[in-house]
Amino acid sequence: MSPKLDLWLTEMLTGSRRALARIITAVENDPAVAEHAIQTLYPRTGQAHILGLTGAPGAGKSSLTTELALELRRRDLTVGIVAVDPSSPFTGGALLGDRVRMGALAGDKGVFIRSMASRGRLGGLSSTTSAVLKVLDAAGFDILIVETVGAGQAEVDIASTAHTTIVIEAPGMGDDVQAIKAGILEIADILVVNKADRAGAHQKVKSLEMMLHLGPQGGTRHHGKIIASPAEIQASSQNAWPIPVIKTEAINGKGLSDLADQILSHRTHLQETGQWLERERERALQEATALIQQRLLAQVQAQIPAGLQHEIYTAVAERKISLYTAVEQILNYGP
Amino acid sequence: MSPKLDLWLTEMLTGSRRALARIITAVENDPAVAEHAIQTLYPRTGQAHILGLTGAPGAGKSSLTTELALELRRRDLTVGIVAVDPSSPFTGGALLGDRVRMGALAGDKGVFIRSMASRGRLGGLSSTTSAVLKVLDAAGFDILIVETVGAGQAEVDIASTAHTTIVIEAPGMGDDVQAIKAGILEIADILVVNKADRAGAHQKVKSLEMMLHLGPQGGTRHHGKIIASPAEIQASSQNAWPIPVIKTEAINGKGLSDLADQILSHRTHLQETGQWLERERERALQEATALIQQRLLAQVQAQIPAGLQHEIYTAVAERKISLYTAVEQILNYGP
């Protein structure tokens, strides 16, 4: 490992933003660096409150992210922003108005903004995003905002990555995607109707509230758990969170105080009910599982000559052997 | 394995649609059934031309799927439709007009429609979808249309599942998501501007054509390959496909003939250039890799008591050990 990395890690922990930026770039480019950085930083992680902000293009996610960050700064909380949304103005596609507002963040040492949109493929949160969040967590940011675009796998991923998932809607949008909304409601801890000054905002709030009460959970969310004892499940059902629907007008700076209040309440709720630790455990399980699968696969593949693998998959493509036969051949290969 | 399954498989291969529907339901519900069915059917697969239809909600994917199926039927091609889009009218959310048109398909024995939207989570194509496509392939359908919603992981998945990926746009939509479009262009074999009677259609076509010519591939697509020799790479660069941009008005039945022509041309192109086999090999690699990972993980997890796993992940959640230490403990566990 580069001796520079350890120097940067030390500098980062004493507050150097330049070292932080360098570490993140290194983590993005090299999985071995990511592993070393996370090994070193792990004991310092677990403090940051990770927010997932998601919604369809046009709902105003980036404006809301900007205004929410400004509101959190007024409360003396430091904020890291990771924009995974390829349509995000944080990536460089901002309208002039957005840029002016974002300028208010840019000069603030209590804010760190990173766009990862150009790195990823369409959709999906990468393991890189997860590594970058750990670095920002260790760097001491109080709140991390991950902005992703809906609708797709990214939303599901964000719900397992974030402590608090915020789904943003806007009036007059997405009325043809009720079924998707039903899916979105399954992941939301907080619902926001942005652009609340527009026609149809009140109706949108009402329809969301109605969907919440019609849902299987009756307007509350029992956080999904992978490892759970009956006692834990019972505790969880007693500790449901009533999903709030909040109106905001990001570009006019309205509703942000309500939103920030709910975000902080949700953190308290998670911690008091033990769900914070549950979510951390669930995330550990998912991340470890992905790493274990990567390593096991690499071990198997390393044993088999590439030429033979090519032959096996060509035989499958030509229907000479079936997929399952190929799997058996690869798993049972002995030199 | 149920003896019924083998009976159904025999009936399916002699044309029974009822047996086909039963097999698909069984495949969806039980991975062991899926394995047995695919083992049995594998030699009969590989003939169907799989189309991926994707685009943002509101672009008119379902209407286009319906009209495209009707056009292909006029050419005496049989069509299987798999709707993975949770907002698809095929799932039950159709407007009246859609339903009337879809009715024209419903009575036709040369068409089979299956909605998988209710089974999946948001986004992402499941291994179940892949298994269902193999069953439909073996059942002898000439063309399989998989309808997914954009933008997200599902689009990336569809590009690796389909032989021909069709991305649908509409005028006046998504003008704020240029960056997403850039991603979509990477997966498209054919671009469709639907609702071409609306204002802005011509401009949309022009802007897409411009993006194609500005793109890294200069308006052509060199199909991604995972296993490739230098000779294959060179062959591929000589065999580029110029991505067409086609205007359609699905609800008026216009442009479908052009679209069908391009789809069939693309199949010929893939076959003549050897890319058809390449895509089959790439798919075999991906599907086998997923199965191998599942099995290896299951083997490892079966060796470790659940209580110990819970302890390890709790220790990670509490930052007593790091994620990588947990991975080592699990991989090196010996009873």
Side-chain angles (χ1 to χ4, degrees):
Chain A
M1 204 53 52
S2 150
K4 272 190 193 163
L5 182 61
D6 287 318
L7 177 64
W8 294 342
L9 287 168
T10 309
E11 288 176 355
M12 182 196 96
L13 293 174
T14 56
S16 164
R17 290 289 178 258
R18 201 169 69 160
L20 172 61
R22 284 175 167 172
I23 290 167
I24 289 178
T25 300
V27 160
E28 286 177 338
N29 291 327
D30 186 345
V33 167
E35 174 163 350
H36 180 77
I38 291 171
Q39 272 290 27
T40 308
L41 298 173
Y42 216 78
R44 295 172 185 272
T45 63
Q47 301 307 310
H49 182 185
I50 303 174
L51 312 181
L53 243 94
T54 192
K61 285 185 299 298
S62 300
S63 303
L64 198 73
T65 300
T66 304
E67 296 301 324
L68 176 60
L70 290 167
E71 172 67 24
L72 294 168
R73 291 299 294 136
R74 285 191 287 274
R75 299 179 184 210
D76 263 342
L77 294 163
T78 56
V79 181
I81 298 172
V82 177
V84 187
D85 177 359
S87 69
S88 166
F90 291 111
T91 316
L95 302 175
L96 189 61
D98 284 330
R99 284 204 182 280
V100 170
R101 296 297 294 164
M102 284 161 63
L105 292 174
D108 180 349
K109 203 167 172 293
V111 175
F112 188 90
I113 301 174
R114 188 75 175 198
S115 163
M116 303 194 56
S118 59
R119 305 198 63 78
R121 301 183 311 166
L122 273 175
L125 285 184
S126 62
S127 56
T128 310
T129 306
S130 159
V132 168
L133 287 171
K134 286 193 181 60
V135 172
L136 290 169
D137 185 351
F141 290 96
D142 298 312
I143 302 213
L144 301 177
I145 305 177
V146 187
E147 184 197 340
T148 65
V149 71
Q153 188 58 38
E155 286 173 341
V156 177
D157 291 350
I158 198 64
S160 67
T161 299
H163 298 102
T164 303
T165 301
I166 303 163
V167 176
I168 303 157
E169 302 259 346
M173 284 187 58
D175 292 327
D176 54 341
V177 283
Q178 295 294 330
I180 291 184
K181 255 192 241 155
I184 286 174
L185 294 187
E186 284 173 22
I187 63 165
D189 297 304
I190 297 173
L191 282 167
V192 171
V193 175
N194 193 29
K195 306 186 181 181
D197 51 333
R198 292 202 183 169
H202 182 70
Q203 195 184 345
K204 182 70 125 188
V205 170
K206 286 293 154 212
S207 86
L208 287 171
E209 284 175 346
M210 205 171 71
M211 286 182 82
L212 285 173
H213 290 289
L214 290 175
Q217 297 154 337
T220 59
R221 174 149 179 225
H222 305 185
H223 298 305
K225 295 191 295 181
I226 291 179
I227 301 172
S229 66
E232 281 175 328
I233 290 168
Q234 198 189 353
S236 169
S237 68
Q238 289 164 357
N239 294 321
W241 164 257
I243 301 170
V245 182
I246 300 170
K247 285 203 243 183
T248 61
E249 298 172 34
I251 58 163
N252 302 318
K254 287 189 188 171
L256 279 309
S257 179
D258 276 2
L259 177 57
D261 286 347
Q262 288 290 346
I263 288 167
L264 300 177
S265 293
H266 189 242
R267 177 181 183 136
T268 305
H269 169 83
L270 291 177
Q271 287 175 327
E272 287 178 351
T273 58
Q275 293 177 46
W276 181 277
L277 184 62
E278 270 170 44
R279 289 196 168 200
E280 292 288 333
R281 188 165 52 210
E282 188 182 333
R283 189 177 315 143
L285 170 70
Q286 289 182 5
E287 291 180 353
T289 301
L291 286 169
I292 289 167
Q293 284 192 318
Q294 276 172 27
R295 292 196 188 181
L296 292 171
L297 181 69
Q299 281 169 18
V300 165
Q301 286 179 336
Q303 284 165 13
I304 309 179
L308 179 59
Q309 293 187 50
H310 186 271
E311 268 176 43
I312 291 173
Y313 293 124
T314 302
V316 176
E318 293 170 343
R319 267 64 184 176
K320 290 177 184 160
I321 62 171
S322 93
L323 189 62
Y324 293 95
T325 306
V327 168
E328 296 302 329
Q329 285 183 2
I330 288 167
L331 285 174
N332 297 327
Y333 176 80
Chain B
M1 203 54 51
S2 152
K4 272 191 194 164
L5 182 62
D6 286 318
L7 177 64
W8 293 342
L9 288 168
T10 309
E11 289 177 354
M12 183 195 95
L13 293 175
T14 56
S16 164
R17 291 288 178 259
R18 200 168 69 161
L20 173 61
R22 283 174 169 173
I23 290 166
I24 290 178
T25 301
V27 160
E28 286 176 339
N29 290 328
D30 186 346
V33 168
E35 175 164 348
H36 179 76
I38 291 172
Q39 271 290 25
T40 308
L41 298 173
Y42 215 78
R44 296 174 183 272
T45 62
Q47 302 307 311
H49 183 184
I50 303 174
L51 312 181
L53 242 94
T54 192
K61 285 184 299 300
S62 300
S63 303
L64 198 74
T65 300
T66 304
E67 297 301 324
L68 177 60
L70 290 168
E71 173 66 23
L72 294 169
R73 291 298 295 135
R74 284 191 287 273
R75 300 180 184 211
D76 263 341
L77 295 163
T78 54
V79 181
I81 298 172
V82 177
V84 187
D85 176 359
S87 69
S88 166
F90 292 111
T91 317
L95 302 175
L96 189 61
D98 285 330
R99 283 204 184 281
V100 170
R101 296 297 293 164
M102 285 161 61
L105 291 175
D108 180 348
K109 201 167 172 294
V111 174
F112 187 90
I113 302 174
R114 189 74 175 198
S115 163
M116 304 194 56
S118 58
R119 306 198 63 77
R121 302 183 312 164
L122 270 175
L125 284 185
S126 62
S127 56
T128 310
T129 306
S130 161
V132 168
L133 287 171
K134 286 192 181 59
V135 173
L136 290 169
D137 186 351
F141 289 97
D142 298 313
I143 303 214
L144 301 177
I145 305 176
V146 187
E147 184 197 339
T148 65
V149 71
Q153 188 58 37
E155 286 173 341
V156 177
D157 291 351
I158 197 62
S160 68
T161 298
H163 298 103
T164 303
T165 301
I166 302 162
V167 176
I168 302 158
E169 301 260 345
M173 284 186 58
D175 293 327
D176 53 342
V177 283
Q178 294 295 328
I180 290 183
K181 257 191 242 154
I184 285 174
L185 293 188
E186 284 173 24
I187 63 165
D189 297 304
I190 296 173
L191 282 166
V192 171
V193 175
N194 193 28
K195 304 186 182 180
D197 51 332
R198 292 202 183 167
H202 182 71
Q203 196 184 345
K204 183 69 123 187
V205 170
K206 286 294 153 214
S207 86
L208 287 171
E209 284 174 346
M210 204 172 72
M211 286 182 83
L212 284 173
H213 289 290
L214 290 174
Q217 296 152 338
T220 58
R221 176 154 176 220
H222 305 186
H223 299 305
K225 297 191 295 181
I226 290 181
I227 301 172
S229 66
E232 282 176 328
I233 290 167
Q234 200 189 350
S236 169
S237 69
Q238 289 163 356
N239 294 323
W241 164 257
I243 301 170
V245 182
I246 300 169
K247 284 203 244 183
T248 60
E249 298 172 34
I251 58 164
N252 303 318
K254 288 189 186 169
L256 280 308
S257 180
D258 276 1
L259 178 57
D261 286 346
Q262 289 290 345
I263 288 167
L264 300 178
S265 294
H266 189 243
R267 179 182 183 138
T268 306
H269 169 83
L270 291 177
Q271 287 175 328
E272 286 178 353
T273 58
Q275 291 177 48
W276 181 278
L277 184 63
E278 271 171 42
R279 289 198 169 199
E280 292 289 334
R281 187 165 54 212
E282 189 181 332
R283 188 178 314 142
L285 171 70
Q286 289 182 6
E287 292 180 354
T289 301
L291 286 169
I292 290 167
Q293 285 192 317
Q294 275 172 29
R295 292 196 188 180
L296 292 170
L297 181 69
Q299 280 169 19
V300 165
Q301 286 179 336
Q303 284 166 13
I304 308 178
L308 179 59
Q309 292 187 52
H310 187 272
E311 267 176 43
I312 291 173
Y313 293 123
T314 303
V316 176
E318 291 170 343
R319 267 62 183 177
K320 288 176 185 162
I321 62 171
S322 92
L323 188 61
Y324 293 95
T325 306
V327 168
E328 295 303 328
Q329 286 184 1
I330 287 167
L331 285 174
N332 298 327
Y333 176 79

